[in-house]
Amino acid sequence: MLKGSLRKLLNALLLMIAVLVLNFTLIHIAPGDPVEALVGEMGGATPELIAELRSRFGLDQPLYVQLGTYLGRIAQGDFGHSLYYDQPVTALIAERIGPTILLVTTALFSAIALGTVLGVFSAQRRRSVLSHLVTVISLAGFSAPVFWVGIMLILLLSVSVPLLPISGMSSADSAASGLFYILDVLHHLVLPALTLALIYLAFYSRLSRASMLEVLGSDYIRTARAKGLPKRMVIYKHALRNAILPVVTFAGLQFGQVISGAVLVETVFAWPGLGTLAFESILRRDTPTLLGILFFSAVMVVVMNLVTDVVYRRVDPRIKAR
Amino acid sequence: MTATSTTPASAPEAVSPGRQAWRMFRQNHSALFGLAIIALIVLASVFGPYVYTVPPREMVWMPLTPPGESEYLLGTDYLGRDLLAGLINGGRVTLTVGLSAAVLTVLIGITVGALAGFFGGRVDDVLMRITEFFQVLPNLLFAMVVVMLFSPSLLNIAVAIGVVSWTSTARLTRAEFMRLREMEFVKAERSIGAGNARLIWRVILPNAAPPLIVVAALSIGTAILFEAGLSFLGLSDPNATSWGRMIGDNRPYILDSSWGVTFPGLCIFLTVLAISLVGDGLNDAFNPKLRQR
Amino acid sequence: MLERLARRLTSAAPIALAAAIGLAPIAQADPKDGGTLTTFTSGYRTLNPAVQSGAATGAPGSQIFAGLVTVGKDYVVQPYLADAWQVSDDQLTVTFDLVGGAKFHDGQPITGEDVKFSLETVRANHPFGSAMFGNVESIEVPAPDKVVLHLAKPVPGLLYSLQPLLMPILPKHVYGDGQDMKTHPRNMENVVGSGPFKVEENNPAERLVLVKNQDFFLKGKPHLDKIVYPMVKDPLTRVLMLEKGEIDYAPFAGIRPNDASRLEKAKGAHVTTDGYEAIGYVHYLELNLRNEPFSKREVREALAHAIDTGFLAKVIFGGRTVPGTGPLHTGNPFYSADVPTYEPDMDKAAAMLDAAGYPVGADGSRFSFVLDVPSWAPAAHVPMAEYIQAQLAKLKINVELRKAPDFGTWVKRVSSWDYEATMNGSFNYPDPTIGVHRHFDCDNIKNVIWSNTQGYCNPEVDTLLGAAAVETDMAKRKALYADIQRKVQEDLVFIYMPQDYSATVYSDGVANLPDSPFGALSPFYDVYLDK
């Protein structure tokens, strides 16, 4: 058991190093040059200054030397400085991760909660209206581009009926503080979270219905019912517990992909999270920031996989026994 | 399709599984509806530009003209370009990229999965490490980086989507291959001297086909959504306009023109929806048991 | 000739002077003190205009830092930190007297040494640094309130370069610690300025808040308590906020032509295009003149006849701008309309291409080229490029658009001359010697972006540019620039597109906005709220 965990950790570590090396190499062999981008942002510069900047960022060194230096620094927890913001990459990520987590957790948890309820109930009556509703939601949610859903919601709830703010995380008026600030942020959160939640909902309602159907059809539930246990107890005590397992697994995986999932929604709503930072860093060729975010999101995936694994063991007694 | 059959042809049933599946599929009205929509969209994209000849990138009328207020049925965009012409021609781009990306996804996924599942051991270990590695990368973000770094041409976009999307196909193929390689009919083929290549491509793959066909169909939809997302962000070929790019281009003008974003979005939605319906129909057709339950 | 720009004024005089010659339209009513002006930012990387050009830094930078002078209506230079200056008869020595008792935000006095340090910093670090101050041979500080500039050659635009936007007065005791100025931590953290407003909160992801500098050296100013710059990147949000009155003042890229029509109808909102004359944003098609076919003037002329810039002005900018006719913006004081123009005429264009040796070939085309589309200003450049592509296709010229993935890639291609054609645009400001000469000087054919990257050299034009650079007589200088504009349009160095649409939206009650041709980039110490 312990040996297995150790192996998993080592595996994850190797994976992380591979991610670093690939991303670094890819970004550095591609055409284009961060210094040129920076110089452009400054409004132009002399060739001498360009050369100086290049040597300051170590870009005049051979690629393997740069890679070695980079890995060495990472080992010490130093992800370098953003070329654009003149701030350490770690500080930048720390600043932007909060809004992203807020957005994604709100969307994910509401979708899981609602999706599980929908899925579980619709699985019990296969030809009911609810069951058809789940089918429609899941099909629509899977087929609609998330950014388009966001724009449609803006047209509906910000433009036609001006209920909700169109973008950003807080109002321009900086006077708000304390409770008002929190309310303001929540007000801004509704639309992007709703957009993201609709997409997640499609997935979780379908997933929980499928797994509930699977469990309800399984032998031990049939046995339980044959033994004359009340229907309600069978469903809530036995079936639900098992049906929720895949939901846990996927929630973990999805949370790991949090940044990728949020890029489009954050862009539509100008939400100041990691997704927008990543997109801007690509446009600015801000290599250290981009590498930091890519690495950070890979770490998220790996960590969430490990966490999911642990949770899964807790929830599912069968695995523990094995 | 059953474990005891040596080859599909000598299966106990009189009808081939393919025909049986089609029979099932035919009874599925939503799947047939999906198929009809796909046929319509493909026809419109392939022949539409010859029938409706308004040039899609020419500024033909007053910008931001609402639908129905000019000879241009769906109105014009922020540059006075005909929206209908844009949709018809954009469909070509969207479908081409979606289809090529899906083909790439499936090719990589099946190759990796088949090799890992068939050989097992060291090969499986290495290939699964690689798969894990690609699973860990944030897929949209990584595709954005690739497209950005190597310039946004249609080919690069398709490749980027393929490179980040193949892992689930690979895992599925691997599982199928692991299950099938121990089956009697495979052992029988091996005993009469079939080589590895024959076993993989001729013997196991056809038997693993049903779930893979479903995945392949669905991956076209995923690829279309992926392309739409990239184009929406502006990561698109400047020489070609896809539906996703139309949404991105018209988004800043939604206060004055909702049609500029609504129609291209509907096109994407309908196309992917139709593909999903067909995918679901195929799934049910290949797994009659699941339906009966 | 003895020309004296000298002005002797008491420290309280700037207001008197401004009022006397009818500059800043000081309303009948007395300015009211207090209130918060809400504007916006779409993001900035530094607050120090000494190391960064552009409006994102310049607009707040001109509030945080003072300058030696400001520029008022019709380009009239007004006293600021320098309450007077004298120019020697030979135009080679300029002496500035500084206001007494001026202090930085941290309470340290502002001295001539700080002015000297600031000028040297700008010269070394600002993109236009050497263009503006390359002819400043030495700087002398004979007394703490006196600064003397010694020039190698007369510099007619010198005073324009001494406004806070271009030469902010920096505290030497903060920045003079030997650290690199471009990445100095104090450019963003704990910024110590010299201007009418102090930094209270600087969080580039959310907002910048400036508060009134109680110890500002111009007594009784500024009037506003606060200026707030919330981060609003999304143009839609800006428009909605302006409609609702949540933003009081939105200059620069905030407003697009279709928004303008919308906002003109909104209650309490005003739209003006004043305040962008000096910046002079012009768009153009840049052709690499080194290689065929664009080395042939006839080919360029054919292109000019094929591209209907009047049509583009209507479509892209809603008819709110005019087609460019040359390197200078129509709002520039040296602008001349007396230039050759090329009317839209596809038949003529086709005939010219035939004559130039580019008939339609066996493959059905005359020639092909790649047109680069920069990643910046996509709302202007992408439609322009697509229009050119469609238009030239009618002439059987194949144009392949190549969108640079990021800014750096485009800069690299153009500055290393590795391109055939590109959409481009640049700013005139603040003096043609800085924004215009760089594109035409023979000795500025460099591997630097927005230099003479297209490789144009006409000795006749070069001579005219040299003369205009040192001519201090306005009328004569105007005549020289008229000649220059005519010549470069005869040569068709660039094919000019419509001028950019720039507008400011402000709400009722915002009074005394700067009427300088530099608009939002001027100090706001006279602005007040009347609501």
Side-chain angles (χ1 to χ4, degrees), chain A residues 126 148 206 260 282-283 297, chain B residues 138 140 148 261 273 280 293:
Chain A
R126 299 211 46 204
W148 182 68
R206 192 179 171 135
S260 250
I282 294 177
L283 295 181
S297 66
Chain B
L140 178 61
M148 224 29 182
V261 289
L273 181 71
D280 280 0
R293 217 173 38 212

Side-chain angles (χ1 to χ4, degrees), chain A residues 31-47 49-50 52-54 56-57 83-87 95-96 154 158-159 162 164-175 181 267-270 272 280 282-285, chain C residues 38-39 43-45 51-53 125-128 130 180 182-185 187-189 201 203-207 209 226 228 230-234 236-237 240-241 244 246-247 262 375 405-409 411-412 415 438 446-450:
Chain A
D33 180 339
V35 168
E36 297 283 353
L38 183 67
V39 163
E41 294 275 359
M42 287 174 172
T46 57
L49 177 71
I50 291 174
E52 187 213 306
L53 285 170
R54 199 161 274 144
R56 185 186 320 154
F57 295 131
L83 297 185
Y84 181 83
Y85 279 111
D86 220 1
Q87 255 192 76
E95 207 171 84
R96 300 294 197 95
I154 288 178
S158 301
V159 179
L164 296 164
I166 196 168
S167 80
M169 196 171 81
S170 59
S171 298
D173 182 5
S174 66
Y181 178 75
T267 307
V268 170
F269 292 98
E280 284 163 8
I282 294 177
L283 295 181
R284 293 184 189 125
R285 195 57 74 92
Chain C
T38 306
T39 168
Y44 49 92
R45 55 182 301 276
V51 298
Q52 171 80 50
S53 75
N125 293 285
H126 193 279
F128 307 151
S130 55
D180 179 70
K182 283 199 178 67
T183 56
H184 201 288
N187 288 344
M188 280 300 265
E189 285 162 35
E201 182 192 341
N203 175 2
E206 279 199 60
R207 67 172 57 83
V209 180
K226 260 187 192 187
V228 182
M231 169 76 151
V232 189
K233 274 206 165 153
D234 179 28
L236 286 179
T237 310
L240 287 180
M241 289 174 85
K244 289 189 213 153
E246 290 172 1
I247 294 180
R262 214 184 151 83
S375 57
D406 55 43
F407 193 74
T409 306
V411 168
K412 179 97 191 157
S415 65
R438 55 181 172 167
K446 287 181 181 163
N447 291 117
V448 173
I449 193 61
W450 295 308

Side-chain angles (χ1 to χ4, degrees), chain C residues 377-458:
Chain C
H381 291 144
V382 173
M384 284 174 188
E386 288 182 353
Y387 170 78
I388 290 171
Q389 185 185 40
Q391 214 46 20
L392 296 189
K394 293 176 193 159
L395 285 177
K396 310 290 176 208
I397 299 172
N398 292 328
V399 181
E400 190 200 323
L401 303 185
R402 181 170 63 175
K403 194 160 73 184
D406 55 43
F407 193 74
T409 306
W410 176 80
V411 168
K412 179 97 191 157
R413 277 175 190 153
V414 177
S415 65
S416 57
W417 313 338
D418 180 21
Y419 71 104
E420 289 178 276
T422 181
M423 297 315 303
N424 206 341
S426 78
F427 297 120
N428 280 176
Y429 78 106
D431 187 87
T433 47
I434 292 155
V436 178
H437 287 220
R438 55 181 172 167
H439 296 303
F440 306 100
D441 277 332
C442 290
D443 61 3
N444 205 32
I445 301 179
K446 287 181 181 163
N447 291 117
V448 173
I449 193 61
W450 295 308
S451 66
N452 188 344
T453 43
Q454 76 280 8
Y456 170 73
C457 184
N458 178 344

Side-chain angles (χ1 to χ4, degrees), chain A residues 22-73:
Chain A
L22 174 92
N23 287 336
F24 185 92
T25 316
L26 191 69
I27 287 177
H28 284 81
I29 57 168
D33 180 339
V35 168
E36 297 283 353
L38 183 67
V39 163
E41 294 275 359
M42 287 174 172
T46 57
E48 294 77 42
L49 177 71
I50 291 174
E52 187 213 306
L53 285 170
R54 199 161 274 144
S55 90
R56 185 186 320 154
F57 295 131
L59 294 168
D60 50 351
Q61 304 277 326
L63 192 61
Y64 63 90
V65 177
Q66 291 183 46
L67 177 60
T69 319
Y70 183 68
L71 289 179
R73 286 205 188 126

Side-chain angles (χ1 to χ4, degrees), chain A:
Chain A
M1 175 91 187
L2 193 70
K3 210 174 156 194
S5 305
L6 211 65
R7 229 191 91 158
K8 268 194 183 134
L9 277 179
L10 192 72
N11 208 345
L13 198 69
L14 284 176
L15 210 56
M16 297 290 73
I17 295 175
V19 166
L20 280 174
V21 173
L22 174 92
N23 287 336
F24 185 92
T25 316
L26 191 69
I27 287 177
H28 284 81
I29 57 168
D33 180 339
V35 168
E36 297 283 353
L38 183 67
V39 163
E41 294 275 359
M42 287 174 172
T46 57
E48 294 77 42
L49 177 71
I50 291 174
E52 187 213 306
L53 285 170
R54 199 161 274 144
S55 90
R56 185 186 320 154
F57 295 131
L59 294 168
D60 50 351
Q61 304 277 326
L63 192 61
Y64 63 90
V65 177
Q66 291 183 46
L67 177 60
T69 319
Y70 183 68
L71 289 179
R73 286 205 188 126
I74 298 264
Q76 298 162 23
D78 175 10
F79 284 78
H81 253 67
S82 158
L83 297 185
Y84 181 83
Y85 279 111
D86 220 1
Q87 255 192 76
V89 169
T90 38
L92 262 182
I93 292 180
E95 207 171 84
R96 300 294 197 95
I97 186 70
T100 298
I101 300 251
L102 176 66
L103 171 63
V104 176
T105 43
T106 310
L108 198 58
F109 283 118
S110 19
I112 289 175
L114 187 60
T116 315
V117 170
L118 282 177
V120 167
F121 279 105
S122 65
Q124 293 171 48
R125 278 188 225 99
R126 299 211 46 204
R127 308 246 174 256
S128 64
V129 178
L130 194 66
S131 181
H132 286 295
L133 184 71
V134 169
T135 312
V136 171
I137 290 178
S138 65
L139 273 172
F142 176 73
S143 310
V146 60
F147 56 90
W148 182 68
V149 174
I151 298 172
M152 291 296 114
L153 286 176
I154 288 178
L155 281 173
L156 199 67
L157 297 173
S158 301
V159 179
S160 298
V161 190
L163 284 178
L164 296 164
I166 196 168
S167 80
M169 196 171 81
S170 59
S171 298
D173 182 5
S174 66
S177 62
L179 186 64
F180 287 106
Y181 178 75
I182 293 172
L183 286 175
D184 188 38
V185 170
L186 290 179
H187 191 210
H188 282 78
L189 179 63
V190 176
L191 267 190
L194 182 63
T195 307
L196 203 54
L198 283 178
I199 303 296
Y200 287 149
L201 182 65
F203 183 77
Y204 286 103
S205 58
R206 192 179 171 135
L207 182 69
S208 58
R209 185 174 68 155
S211 66
M212 192 72 184
L213 281 176
E214 183 100 34
V215 174
L216 285 178
S218 69
D219 293 339
Y220 77 99
I221 294 290
R222 280 194 205 145
T223 319
R225 295 189 75 164
K227 272 200 283 183
L229 286 174
K231 188 183 168 198
R232 198 174 270 181
M233 189 169 158
V234 172
I235 289 174
Y236 294 109
K237 194 132 186 228
H238 299 277
L240 189 57
R241 192 179 170 128
N242 286 297
I244 211 129
L245 279 175
V247 174
V248 171
T249 316
F250 275 97
L253 293 178
Q254 210 140 31
F255 197 79
Q257 288 277 2
V258 49
I259 299 163
S260 250
V263 172
L264 288 166
V265 177
E266 286 188 5
T267 307
V268 170
F269 292 98
W271 190 259
L274 264 190
T276 39
L277 179 67
F279 185 41
E280 284 163 8
S281 306
I282 294 177
L283 295 181
R284 293 184 189 125
R285 195 57 74 92
D286 186 348
T287 315
T289 310
L290 195 54
L291 282 173
I293 296 173
L294 283 171
F295 179 69
F296 177 78
S297 66
V299 171
M300 288 279 284
V301 176
V302 170
V303 169
M304 284 317 293
N305 280 359
L306 294 176
V307 170
T308 311
D309 212 50
V310 172
V311 173
Y312 203 93
R313 276 161 198 279
R314 291 232 153 183
V315 180
D316 189 351
R318 284 172 302 178
I319 295 184
K320 214 186 227 168
R322 246 180 252 160

Side-chain angles (χ1 to χ4, degrees), chain C residues 267-288:
Chain C
K267 217 176 132 228
H270 307 271
V271 182
T272 172
T273 53
D274 290 344
Y276 299 93
E277 301 83 356
I279 284 102
Y281 188 179
V282 295
H283 294 287
Y284 48 89
L285 170 65
E286 175 174 336
L287 305 164
N288 193 334

